[in-house]
Amino acid sequence: MRSLDPKEIAALIKRGQDLLAAGDVQSARLVLMRGAEAQDARAALLVGSTYDPARLRQMGADGPLADVAQARIWYQRAKEWGEPDAQRRLDALALSR
């Protein structure tokens, strides 16, 4: 696992959120993955959202980017690392099948 300080992780999350807001899901995924690889729960949740079909539809970016299995993996990691919203996302994925 890569070691990043909290400021670096916060900057990655902010950049990833900005990219998501701009509709650049693939770039956001790459940026957020760096924070998630440092075991940051929020970054892992956001990585999961870049694979989540429902979240991608909300962003107008569904299709080949969606991968329910990857979304589940990253949401589960976010849950394990303490992200309070992760279980709700996992439940929503289970219901959307």
Side-chain angles (χ1 to χ4, degrees), residues 44-64:
L45 185 81
L46 290 167
V47 169
S49 73
T50 70
Y51 289 105
D52 187 330
R55 297 283 169 177
L56 289 170
R57 269 192 301 280
Q58 289 174 346
M59 292 182 256
D62 57 341

Side-chain angles (χ1 to χ4, degrees), residues 2 10 13 17 21 24 27 35 38 42 45 49-51 58 60 62 73-75 86-88 91-92 94-95:
R2 187 176 164 153
I13 289 172
Q17 289 173 319
D24 190 349
S27 294
R42 183 73 182 152
L45 185 81
S49 73
T50 70
Y51 289 105
Q58 289 174 346
D62 57 341
I73 288 167
W74 286 104
Y75 287 158
Q87 185 60 56
R88 188 177 62 76
D91 294 343
L95 292 174

Side-chain angles (χ1 to χ4, degrees), residues 41-42 76-86:
R42 183 73 182 152
Q76 185 62 43
R77 288 179 183 165
K79 178 183 171 185
E80 290 168 10
W81 297 335
E83 174 56 50
D85 197 32

Side-chain angles (χ1 to χ4, degrees), residues 3-29:
S3 178
L4 298 173
D5 73 43
K7 287 181 185 176
E8 289 175 302
I9 292 171
L12 290 170
I13 289 172
K14 170 81 169 83
R15 179 71 179 133
Q17 289 173 319
D18 290 346
L19 288 164
L20 285 174
D24 190 349
V25 176
Q26 290 176 318
S27 294
R29 187 181 289 164

